[in-house]
Amino acid sequence: MTNPAMPMARLGRNGPVVSRLALGAMTFGAETTEAEAHRQLDLFVERGGTFVDTADVYANGLSEEIIGRWGKQRGGTAELVIATKGRFGPPAGSHGGSRRAVVRAVDDSLRRLQLDTIDVYYMHGWDRHTDVEETLSTLGDLVRSGKIHYLAWSNVSGWQLQRIVSTARMLGVPVPVALQPQYNLLDRGIEVEVLPCAVEAGLSLIPWSPLGGGWLTGKYTRDSRPVGATRLGEDPDRGVEAYGRRNTERTYAILDVVRAIADRIGRPMGHVALAWLLSRPGVSSLLLGARTAEQLETNLGAAGLELEAEDLQALTGVSAFTVPSYPYQFLAEWSEMRVWDELGCHFA
């Protein structure tokens, strides 16, 4: 039974209904111990969460194992939607989107998760060495055999997503129900091509890094590099949220608006950032990743928050970004991409 305080949404046109806040398990077995991961899982379910997301590459498979042991201890996960991903490993001999790699990866994930079927299976990225027809044909076989319920993809460009959708339809394979991209107030790049393509094709968006690696909680400042037990404190040059990359005037202009709204409505900054993202076209759920149950509990407090239209407009305006003049601004000026207006996407 779900908690009425936790909103729900459907993935794609025919996918499962899931909680609008999902539990991302990338920290499990790496930054988060098994006992603490089990605390997070218990809290998440207690608060009405139904959507748990992991990947075979997280902690080299340990994240899946932790979820599998938790599910076994509680007598099953039938009321939950469990998602995992394959593409990058393990094992080392099964990387990529080839038939051999995908079949081995799915079987290994099922074993680690202690499941008979994976509810939502993502390809974790594009494989330029394997024709997508081979990947989709294999995934279709796995759906027919009962090892996967629904397909999804992560980390692709607009043309790659369209190729996936078109090829699936050509082969008679189920079209993916969801796409998992990076998306937040600091990085709205998917709005140029990927988001319109996903919405047109009927895929739901499940953003990762909805808080920009912690930036949108207000924890980082202009004048001091991060230190201590935080993601950037341990590695300030980490990935897309690296301190040197995001320590910009644009970032702090966005944070100023987020902070002003948060102060006025009496909420943490993170709640404001999450509520804005959940209001975006196509976004059905988003991934909450945390080191501790206390951090997770704070973010779960955003469930059900809806911002006023004026606040949404202010956040969208301050986070607007510049796109190349051709073809995007050219098309916008000639009203050939009205879909951007329909989706509420505005560029500086």
Side-chain angles (χ1 to χ4, degrees), residues 42-239:
D42 288 339
L43 172 65
F44 181 67
V45 172
E46 178 186 319
R47 295 289 295 275
T50 66
F51 195 17
V52 178
D53 180 278
T54 186
D56 61 359
V57 75
Y58 295 166
N60 201 38
L62 185 53
S63 174
E64 290 181 324
E65 292 178 5
I66 288 171
I67 294 169
R69 286 191 285 267
W70 172 80
K72 190 74 170 179
Q73 290 170 14
R74 70 191 297 270
T77 58
E79 79 278 25
L80 304 179
V81 174
I82 307 295
T84 192
K85 313 176 194 72
R87 161 68 179 87
F88 299 112
S94 292
H95 292 181
S98 69
R99 177 172 290 272
R100 174 180 183 274
V102 172
V103 170
R104 290 186 63 184
V106 168
D107 284 344
D108 287 345
S109 288
L110 286 168
R111 174 180 51 80
R112 287 189 290 264
L113 289 165
Q114 301 191 48
L115 295 174
D116 296 321
T117 306
I118 295 166
D119 293 313
V120 180
Y121 191 76
Y122 290 87
M123 290 305 297
H124 212 161
W126 186 260
D127 179 10
R128 66 185 178 89
H129 300 292
T130 303
D131 195 308
V132 74
E133 290 188 22
E134 179 178 339
T135 303
L136 282 163
S137 176
T138 304
L139 291 169
D141 290 344
L142 291 166
V143 170
R144 284 186 286 273
S145 71
K147 292 185 177 182
I148 297 172
H149 282 148
Y150 299 98
L151 307 182
W153 229 278
S154 182
N155 302 317
V156 291
S157 65
W159 74 262
Q160 290 169 343
L161 178 58
Q162 184 56 54
R163 175 106 183 268
I164 291 163
V165 171
S166 299
T167 304
R169 289 172 175 161
M170 179 189 71
L171 295 174
V173 172
V175 172
V177 298
L179 176 72
Q180 190 177 115
Q182 181 193 205
Y183 189 27
N184 55 59
L185 275 164
L186 300 179
D187 197 327
R188 294 171 52 190
I190 66 164
E191 293 180 4
V192 179
E193 292 278 1
V194 176
L195 187 153
C197 182
V199 171
E200 174 69 21
L203 279 72
S204 290
L205 297 176
I206 316 294
W208 57 265
S209 194
L211 295 174
W215 278 94
L216 290 164
T217 66
K219 68 169 67 174
Y220 304 124
T221 62
R222 284 182 176 86
D223 302 321
S224 57
R225 285 171 65 82
V227 295
T230 66
R231 192 166 292 182
L232 286 190
E234 294 173 352
D235 181 6
D237 298 321
R238 176 174 175 154

Side-chain angles (χ1 to χ4, degrees), residues 20 27 34 58 89 91 150 215 247 336:
R20 297 209 72 196
T27 63
E34 181 157 351
Y58 295 166
Y150 299 98
W215 278 94
N247 186 36
E336 293 301 322

Side-chain angles (χ1 to χ4, degrees), residues 27 82-84 153 182 184 206 228 232 251 257 266 284 288 291 293 296 308 311 313 333-334:
T27 63
I82 307 295
T84 192
W153 229 278
Q182 181 193 205
N184 55 59
I206 316 294
L232 286 190
T251 291
V257 175
S284 291
L288 298 179
R291 294 190 178 205
L296 175 62
E308 297 292 334
D311 291 335
Q313 291 169 3
E333 290 169 3
W334 284 88

